Amino acid sequence: MTGRLPALLASLGRRLPSDRLVDLQRHLHQAENPDSPLLDRWSASHPAAGLAVQLTTLRTAWRDEAPQLSGEALALALATAAEAEKEMAPPAELVVSGPTSPAIPVRLTSGIAVDVIRSARASLLIASFAAYGIPEIVTELRAAAERNVRIDLLLERTTASARAFGPLGEHVRIWHRAASDDRTSLHAKVIAADRHTALLGSANLTGRGLSRNVEIGVILRDSGAVGRLVDHMRWLTGPDGLLHRA
């Protein structure tokens, strides 16, 4: 295969969780060509941000670059790309706040949070239960906005965490659960850069959480896992999710 098709197959293989990937391969096996309605039905039954566009782009490249290939051939290529990605996925890296020990090499949460924000080129998705006392993070977010990074902040309404980001004004989009929803709280702590890197852990976006409290986290650089995490968080801000624009 030449052109865009190999890269598009690899990208799709990285994005899809194993069950969806197997289901797509099954539909491809039965598809005679890129215009098969089987692929339309698969796309309609798997709503996720940007997934339909990604599949449409793949089908267009298939039609333009390799119409002689069967759906079965693409299914095999997709499976091969996914297996190769599994073998290449980097391990999770431990992150801590508070005191470190000689037990295992770790990095401090405050430094990692800045690194992840700086690595974003298109989007940042950040979730935190509490947020205050983080001027360095606010400065980094301002710099990200200045390089045209889209920034979405998913914040717990009851902790007034949005106040920490007030200086950023319209450079960020803030999301809360509805005021009438007292059944849940937004307790996740995530910083995700594009679809390639994510910091997950127990630390809130507070000065103490990022530096002094005893907190544990991991940094993921597996684009497949990070992409699925981002898709889930984006779903929370979608029509069927529980978060609404503040």
Side-chain angles (χ1 to χ4, degrees):
M1 279 184 276
T2 59
R4 298 181 301 154
L5 193 53
L8 292 170
L9 284 165
S11 178
L12 198 58
R14 287 192 297 269
R15 173 174 186 171
L16 293 175
S18 57
D19 57 335
R20 292 192 181 189
L21 187 60
V22 168
D23 193 38
L24 177 56
Q25 290 167 16
R26 181 173 61 84
H27 281 71
L28 280 170
H29 268 288
Q30 301 174 46
E32 296 182 358
N33 56 59
D35 300 310
S36 171
L38 287 170
L39 300 178
D40 295 323
R41 289 198 288 272
W42 184 88
S43 181
S45 64
H46 292 85
L51 183 57
V53 173
Q54 194 171 1
L55 183 61
T56 297
T57 303
L58 173 67
R59 295 169 73 180
T60 299
W62 179 9
R63 186 183 306 110
D64 293 345
E65 299 173 7
Q68 75 281 4
L69 291 180
S70 65
E72 187 174 2
L74 261 68
L76 178 59
L78 189 60
T80 302
E83 287 301 317
E85 182 67 19
K86 287 180 185 177
E87 294 179 4
M88 296 172 60
E93 180 183 346
L94 288 176
V95 181
V96 303
S97 299
T100 60
S101 77
I104 191 168
V106 293
R107 294 185 64 189
L108 294 176
T109 307
S110 54
I112 281 287
V114 168
D115 287 350
V116 173
I117 292 171
R118 288 178 178 175
S119 74
R121 292 296 174 265
S123 65
L124 276 166
L125 193 151
I126 298 176
S128 188
F129 178 77
Y132 55 85
I134 47 171
E136 185 178 18
I137 296 297
V138 172
T139 297
E140 292 297 335
L141 290 179
R142 186 186 302 279
E146 290 174 352
R147 59 179 188 268
N148 296 319
V149 173
R150 168 186 169 181
I151 303 171
D152 288 284
L153 304 176
L154 283 56
L155 304 172
E156 171 56 29
R157 175 180 49 80
T158 61
T159 62
S161 50
R163 292 178 184 171
F165 306 99
L168 297 174
E170 295 183 356
H171 291 299
V172 298
R173 306 196 314 172
I174 295 176
W175 303 83
H176 291 319
R177 57 189 178 83
S180 59
D181 181 5
D182 59 0
R183 300 166 299 169
T184 61
S185 64
L186 197 158
H187 210 252
K189 292 92 176 179
V190 177
I191 303 176
D194 303 325
R195 301 177 66 86
H196 55 70
T197 307
L199 170 61
L200 315 176
S202 60
N204 282 302
L205 281 178
T206 66
R208 292 180 62 87
L210 295 178
S211 58
R212 295 190 297 277
N213 291 349
V214 176
E215 309 279 2
I216 302 293
V218 294
I219 182 167
L220 302 178
R221 294 188 177 89
D222 177 353
S223 58
V226 174
R228 292 191 290 275
L229 169 65
V230 169
D231 285 342
H232 174 69
M233 302 302 281
R234 296 262 182 236
W235 176 85
L236 290 173
T237 65
D240 298 321
L242 59 83
L243 301 181
H244 305 279
R245 184 84 177 269

